[in-house]
Amino acid sequence: MQTSDAAVPGSDAPVVLELANVAKSFGAVLALRSGTLRVQAGSIHALIGENGAGKSTLVKIVAGLYRRDSGELRLDGEDVDFATTAQAKAAGVAVIYQEPTLFPDLSVTENIFMGRQLTGRFGKIDRRAMRHEVERLFTRLGVAIDPDRPAEGLSIADQQVIEIAKAVSLDAKLLVMDEPTAALSGVEVERLFSIARSLRDEGRGLIFISHRFDEVFALCDTVTVMRDGAYISTMAIADTTPSELVRQMVGRDVTELFPKTEAAIGEPLLEVTNLTSQGVFHDISFTVRAGEIVGLAGLVGAGRSEVARAVFGVDGYQEGSVSMRGAPVRRGRPVDAMRAGIALVPEDRRKQGLVVDSGVGRNITMAIRRGLARFGLLTTGMENNAARVWASRLEVKAHALDTVAATLSGGNQQKVVLAKWLATEPDVLIIDEPTRGIDVGTKSEVHRLLSELAGRGMGILMISSELPEVLGMADRVLVMREGRITAEIDRAQATSENVMFAATHASEQHA
Ligand SMILES: Nc1ncnc2c1ncn2[C@@H]1O[C@H](COP(=O)(O)OP(=O)(O)OP(=O)(O)O)[C@@H](O)[C@H]1O
Ligand SMILES: [Mg+2]
C-alpha cells in the first residue's frame, strides 16, 4: 500500500527531517528514484530495504556527501541543499558509519573537539576545559573511556561511541546510524541502544539502518520501507510485524528462512588438530566431513575468525596441524590451502577480498583466474559466463558486469566476494558470517545455496553470530568461548539455550 503521508498517524511531535521524492542518479544508474521520509523529534526511525534499495544513498544526501538531482529536503522545516558534509554538520546532522573515521594518533578528547578547539583567555587552547567537557559527556552517555588515551587501538564500538559523543557535543538534532551494529558484540549493541534511547528521550531525531529485524523491533518507534530506490511505506513499529516488513521490502512473501535440506555425510575432508596460537586460541580440534555443515558459534571476540584465518593460512599458528583428505596443509600459505581445495570467505568482505576499482565480473572470477589461467584454460567467454552465472545466482544488483565494485551497495559488495569464492568450487568452504549485511530475501537464497553445495558433497564451516542461522543450517555446532572450543553439539540436540550457555560459560574442564 502506497501512502503519500510518510509520518505516522497520531504523533504530532515536530518533524526534524523531511524528504519528499528525492532522486539521485550516477550516470545511467538511478540510485534513488523517490526518497521520502519524515523523522520526528524524539523518535528512532528505522530505514529498511533490500541491498541496493537506496538507503545509504538517501543518507549520504542528508549528510552532504551527495547532492540530490531533484526533490525536497527540509531540516527543521527549512529547505536545505548541502554542498558539503561540513554544511550538513553545521546544520545539525551527524552520521555514524559502520567504520568510524577517527584520527588514530590524536587523543579521544582531541578527536571530539577536532576542528573547533576551546580556547581560554588570550586565545590559548584550553585543554582542561575540553577534557572536562568530554568527561561530562561520557558521564551523561554512561561511557567509561579514558579521554586522554589515543584513539588508536579502541574497539569499533568505542570509536562509534566517540563519534556519537562528538555529535552530541555539536548538539546534532539528527543522528543517522547506517548499519552500526554489524561489527559489535551483544553487550556493545546494548550500550549503543541505551545511548540511542537517551538521545531520543532528549528530543533528537534518529535514523537507524539495519538488516536485523530483532534490532529494529527492539529499538525503533517507526519504520520506513524502501524498495528499488523508492518509498514504499511508513508504519509505527507497534502496528507491524517482521513478516509484513519482509513482504513490503521484497514485494512478495518470503516463507522459509532456513531451507535446510538433508545431505549424506561422507568422508572427513578438513581435519584440524590441536591448533594453538598463543593468546588467540588454544587447542582447537575439529573435523569437517563431505556434505556436512559445521556451525562455529560463539560471541564476537571468541576467536572464531582467527581460527578460520589460521586454517586458511592467512595467519600463522604455533602448534597443531591442518590437513585435507589426510594430507597436511602447510601453515601460513593461503595458496597451498586453496590448492588443497579450501576457500575462505572473510568476515570483512569489503576490506579483505574486494578489488573496489575493478569490475564486478573481474572480481567474481579473480580467484578462479588464479587457478585456471596458468594452464591456459580460461577464455574470456568462459570467464564472462562464470561471472554471469554467479552474479545472477546471488542476485547481485549491478548495472553491468563491468560496473566498478566501489559503486555497489554494501550488501551487493558482500555478495560479489561470496560469488568469487563459490566460483572456485572448493571442497571445503569456510564462510565467516555468511549473511551479514545481506537482506532477508537474499539471506534465504544464501542458505539455500549452502544447503545445495553441501548436498553436492562440499564440506562447510560456517561461522555465525546469528543463532537462528546456526540452529537452522548446521549439522553440528561447535561453540567457542575465549579462544577455546567449549562444546560440540549435534543438530538434534542443539538449542539456543545450550549454545548460548556454552558461549558464555566456561565448560567443566577449563573452569
Ligand atoms: N557512487 C555511486 N556510483 C554509482 N552507483 C551507485 C553509487 N552509489 C550507489 N550506487 C547504486 O545505487 C543503488 C543504491 O545503493 P545504496 O548503497 O544506497 O543501497 P543500500 O540500500 O544502502 O543497500 P545495502 O543494504 O546493500 O547497504 C545501488 O544499485 C548502487 O549500486
Ligand atoms: Mg547501505
Side-chain angles (χ1 to χ4, degrees), residues 134-250:
V134 171
E135 277 176 350
R136 212 179 51 80
L137 269 173
F138 282 179
T139 313
R140 185 165 137 210
L141 297 175
V143 173
I145 302 172
D146 174 7
D148 295 323
R149 63 158 293 163
E152 173 140 50
L154 282 170
S155 69
I156 300 264
D158 282 346
Q159 295 185 45
Q160 284 177 343
V161 165
I162 289 165
E163 300 259 19
I164 294 175
K166 185 172 179 173
V168 174
S169 78
L170 282 165
D171 205 29
K173 30 174 111 76
L174 179 74
L175 187 74
V176 187
M177 298 185 279
D178 193 348
E179 294 192 46
T181 58
L184 306 193
S185 68
V187 186
E188 292 166 339
V189 171
E190 269 316 311
R191 181 181 64 169
L192 181 71
F193 282 10
S194 80
I195 292 174
R197 290 189 186 103
S198 64
L199 297 178
R200 172 195 61 195
D201 297 343
E202 288 173 9
R204 296 172 213 268
L206 289 90
I207 298 176
F208 179 74
I209 299 179
S210 174
H211 287 290
R212 303 202 48 172
F213 282 7
D214 52 345
E215 297 181 349
V216 166
F217 279 84
L219 182 67
C220 303
D221 312 298
T222 315
V223 55
T224 289
V225 182
M226 293 179 68
R227 193 198 311 152
D228 293 334
Y231 169 81
I232 298 294
S233 66
T234 294
M235 287 163 287
I237 281 289
D239 296 341
T240 187
T241 60
S243 54
E244 174 167 25
L245 291 183
V246 173
R247 205 174 324 119
Q248 305 221 6
M249 276 171 66
V250 301

Side-chain angles (χ1 to χ4, degrees), residues 267-272 285-289 292 294 476 478:
E267 83 226 84
L269 296 176
L270 176 70
E271 272 176 287
V272 173
S285 299
F286 62 86
T287 304
V288 179
R289 298 183 185 79
E292 185 180 39
V294 177
R476 196 151 49 87
L478 303 170

Side-chain angles (χ1 to χ4, degrees), residues 368-380 382:
I368 30 175
R369 223 162 37 232
R370 231 177 277 152
L372 290 179
R374 257 175 316 170
F375 309 107
L377 289 175
L378 193 70
T379 64
T380 312
M382 282 162 66

Side-chain angles (χ1 to χ4, degrees), residues 55-57 178-179 209 409-411:
K55 305 177 296 292
S56 296
T57 304
D178 193 348
E179 294 192 46
I209 299 179
S409 79

Side-chain angles (χ1 to χ4, degrees), residues 24-27 29-32 48-60 66 178-179 209 211 226 229 397-399 403-404 406-413 437-439:
K24 174 74 187 170
S25 301
F26 298 97
V29 181
L30 187 52
L32 192 60
I48 66 168
E50 289 184 286
N51 296 131
K55 305 177 296 292
S56 296
T57 304
L58 183 152
V59 161
K60 286 173 184 165
Y66 296 154
D178 193 348
E179 294 192 46
I209 299 179
H211 287 290
M226 293 179 68
K397 195 176 169 227
H399 195 57
T403 298
V404 177
T407 69
L408 295 187
S409 79
N412 281 296
Q413 292 179 344
I438 287 186
D439 64 57

